[in-house]
Amino acid sequence: MTSEARPHPLYVPLPGRPAAAPAPAPPAEADHAPAPVLRLAPDRLRTGILAGAGAVALLWGLQARPSARLDAFFATGAHLTGLLAGYGVLVLLLLMARVPAVEHGVGADRLARWHALGGRYVLGLIGAHALLALIGYAVHTRTDLVTATGGLLGYGAIAAATAGTLLFVAVGVTSARGVRRRVGHETWRAVHLGGLLAAALGFVHQLAGPDLADSLLTRWLWSMAHGTVAVLLLWYRVVVPVRAALRHELRVVEVRDEGPGVVSVLVRGRGVARLQAEPGQFFRWRFLRRGLWSTALPFSLSAPVRDDTLRITVKALGDHTRRIRRLRPGTRVLAAGPFGALTAHRRTRRKVLLLAGGVGITPLRALFETLPGGPGDVTLLYRASDAAGLVLRTELEAIARERQAALHFLLGPSDDSFDPLAPRALRNLVPGLAAHDVYLCGPPAMARAATAHLIRAGVPASRIHSEDFDHG
């Protein structure tokens, strides 16, 4: 039995919805109707990135001068790797610029994975460029590598590129999985900001290189590309958050205990509907109090936006999340977003399975309430070690009753001999599982295992929708 609890201020019973009915539009302010949300599909972004790399290679090919000389061979390779490295840096910056159409269409977790993978390629290209240039210069001047290194560093543009390379290496080292766990977030962030300086130093180096210096049109195009990415970074990572803070004046209005180590934070402001936050999305929250203001924490909305109020539900997993439970009403809040693509637009089937683990229930709770569908169209499976680990249980049960949706709590330790997320168990719990869309959110290990089980149970990988980012 579920104990009775007073209704949450953001939960109101939903009216019955007919099957496959369109989702009702959120109320908008009369004089500020929200514009349609633009989304760039992952395939289109990937195609655009590869096309850009092809264009850079074509630019190199048009300027290459075939030669049998050994120094020219190395120099030509240095030019190609240098151009591709410079282009790669622009791509890395664009992926993290928080452009809404990209964030909403691709998803923050996929962008982060592409950024990390691309960073490895860029570091490899920078290393290859430096090595080829050094060998080519040594062959050209008939000197050893040590002497050639000293000679190259005498050029200002090359000295700038060397400093930028060292900064990029520092970014790569602090991003390595083993190092990242040992480095504080503030330190990691400061080193990554140094990556912006590295990109600027690399740009200075590129303008002095023969691939750009010999062509006014090429220099103009390369400068325009860098200027565009710089404007996007400044606009979406600085101007938009500051403008939103001034416009919406968000403040904490309530901090409510939801269970052991779990609290919900209600944040209210002006004209919050203009943010166009969708169920399943998250914001990066900065609470302006001691111990929290310096770090932007990613938390999903745990309820739909109502009455200019946003709600997040947070479990104490680290120093910052433990401090959140001590927030006081009236605390100013800066919220950047919304971000994420774990929203209703990914849905392709009438039947939907929501699969949550631990505090990963927060975005799925909002989707559980709002995804359109009739009785039996939506199923929620909630994995937790025990009943005490079920967050927002009373609300989930109320939503399930109101919507006539299936709700199953899968309790037990993760190392138990019986795995409730095994393929056969999933098929027994969810008839016709292979015909469902699946929304998945939980701890990384659980999410990886669940994805593998779902695929073995017959669900195509293209219909498993998830986002994985650190809530802590």
Side-chain angles (χ1 to χ4, degrees):
M1 296 292 291
T2 302
S3 59
E4 291 296 324
R6 61 190 178 94
H8 196 284
L10 274 189
Y11 175 71
V12 293
L14 295 174
R17 294 187 177 94
E29 297 177 13
D31 57 338
H32 289 284
V37 177
L38 299 177
R39 294 183 173 91
L40 180 64
D43 289 345
R44 290 190 176 184
L45 178 59
R46 187 187 297 111
T47 300
I49 292 172
L50 294 176
V56 171
L58 178 62
L59 171 67
W60 166 82
L62 292 175
Q63 299 185 101
R65 297 291 181 267
S67 173
R69 291 169 46 192
L70 187 60
D71 59 342
F73 170 77
F74 284 113
T76 300
H79 295 164
L80 175 60
T81 52
L83 284 172
L84 289 174
Y87 171 75
V89 169
L90 283 183
V91 171
L92 296 181
L93 295 176
L94 177 64
L95 293 178
M96 292 292 103
R98 298 179 183 171
V99 179
V102 178
E103 289 273 349
H104 297 168
V106 180
D109 65 330
R110 184 178 292 169
L111 289 171
R113 289 196 299 271
W114 288 3
H115 179 83
L117 179 62
R120 299 186 186 101
Y121 284 115
V122 167
L123 283 175
L125 287 168
I126 290 174
H129 169 71
L131 183 60
L132 290 170
L134 176 60
I135 295 174
Y137 186 75
V139 172
H140 180 73
T141 58
R142 295 184 175 86
T143 58
D144 59 84
L145 293 179
V146 175
T147 304
T149 300
L152 283 175
L153 291 177
Y155 295 95
I158 293 178
T162 302
T165 298
L166 294 176
L167 288 172
F168 277 132
V169 170
V171 171
V173 169
T174 55
S175 297
R177 186 170 300 178
V179 178
R180 179 70 182 91
R181 297 191 187 103
R182 296 174 174 82
V183 175
H185 180 79
E186 286 75 14
T187 301
W188 176 86
R189 181 178 174 82
V191 173
H192 269 66
L193 287 176
L196 297 176
L197 175 59
L201 291 172
F203 177 61
V204 171
H205 170 69
Q206 292 154 17
L207 287 183
D211 296 293
L212 302 181
D214 295 341
S215 170
L216 180 61
L217 176 61
T218 304
R219 292 185 68 183
W220 182 83
L221 290 173
W222 200 254
S223 300
M224 285 295 295
H226 281 73
T228 299
V229 172
V231 168
L232 290 174
L233 278 167
L234 181 64
W235 182 258
Y236 287 112
R237 298 204 62 149
V238 179
V239 175
V240 169
V242 170
R243 185 181 63 176
L246 297 174
R247 172 184 291 175
H248 301 296
E249 295 187 354
L250 299 175
R251 293 183 183 272
V252 173
V253 294
E254 182 183 354
V255 178
R256 173 176 172 158
D257 285 324
E258 300 285 7
V262 180
V263 296
S264 284
V265 181
L266 274 68
V267 176
R268 185 172 295 146
R270 299 182 306 173
V272 171
R274 297 184 208 170
L275 293 171
Q276 296 181 261
E278 301 175 63
Q281 291 188 313
F282 69 95
F283 287 77
R284 290 182 171 91
W285 305 85
R286 197 181 295 272
F287 299 97
L288 302 187
R289 58 147 287 175
R290 188 173 61 183
L292 286 174
W293 68 268
S294 62
T295 302
L297 302 169
F299 296 117
S300 298
L301 298 176
S302 62
V305 179
R306 292 192 181 92
D307 300 326
D308 280 337
T309 305
L310 306 165
R311 187 185 78 174
I312 58 175
T313 301
V314 181
K315 184 174 184 178
L317 298 174
D319 292 340
H320 290 96
T321 47
R322 279 192 287 270
R323 293 187 184 108
I324 286 178
R325 68 184 305 113
R326 298 194 292 271
L327 288 172
R328 294 288 180 265
T331 301
R332 289 291 301 270
V333 182
L334 304 181
F339 302 115
L342 194 67
T343 59
H345 89 278
R346 283 193 170 182
R347 183 179 183 178
T348 63
R349 295 293 186 273
R350 182 171 66 89
K351 297 280 191 176
V352 176
L353 168 63
L354 307 175
L355 180 52
V359 78
I361 188 62
T362 52
L364 300 191
R365 180 260 179 250
L367 288 167
F368 191 43
E369 179 180 341
T370 58
L371 280 175
D377 284 345
V378 180
T379 299
L380 173 62
L381 303 184
Y382 188 2
R383 182 79 171 93
S385 57
D386 52 42
L390 296 173
V391 181
L392 306 174
R393 176 174 181 171
T394 302
E395 293 185 25
L396 296 172
E397 291 174 334
I399 294 170
R401 286 194 302 270
E402 185 67 30
R403 301 198 61 176
Q404 301 180 52
L407 171 64
H408 302 281
F409 298 128
L410 310 179
L411 305 181
S414 58
D415 57 356
D416 195 23
S417 58
F418 172 71
D419 183 0
L421 299 181
R424 179 176 295 181
L426 288 171
R427 285 195 295 262
N428 290 336
L429 281 171
V430 188
L433 174 61
H436 284 63
D437 267 309
V438 180
Y439 287 76
L440 171 63
C441 189
M446 173 264 183
R448 287 192 296 269
T451 299
H453 292 332
L454 287 164
I455 292 173
R456 288 173 54 198
V459 181
S462 61
R463 285 199 262 115
I464 301 174
H465 316 299
S466 66
E467 281 191 316
D468 173 24
F469 58 95
D470 182 6
H471 286 69

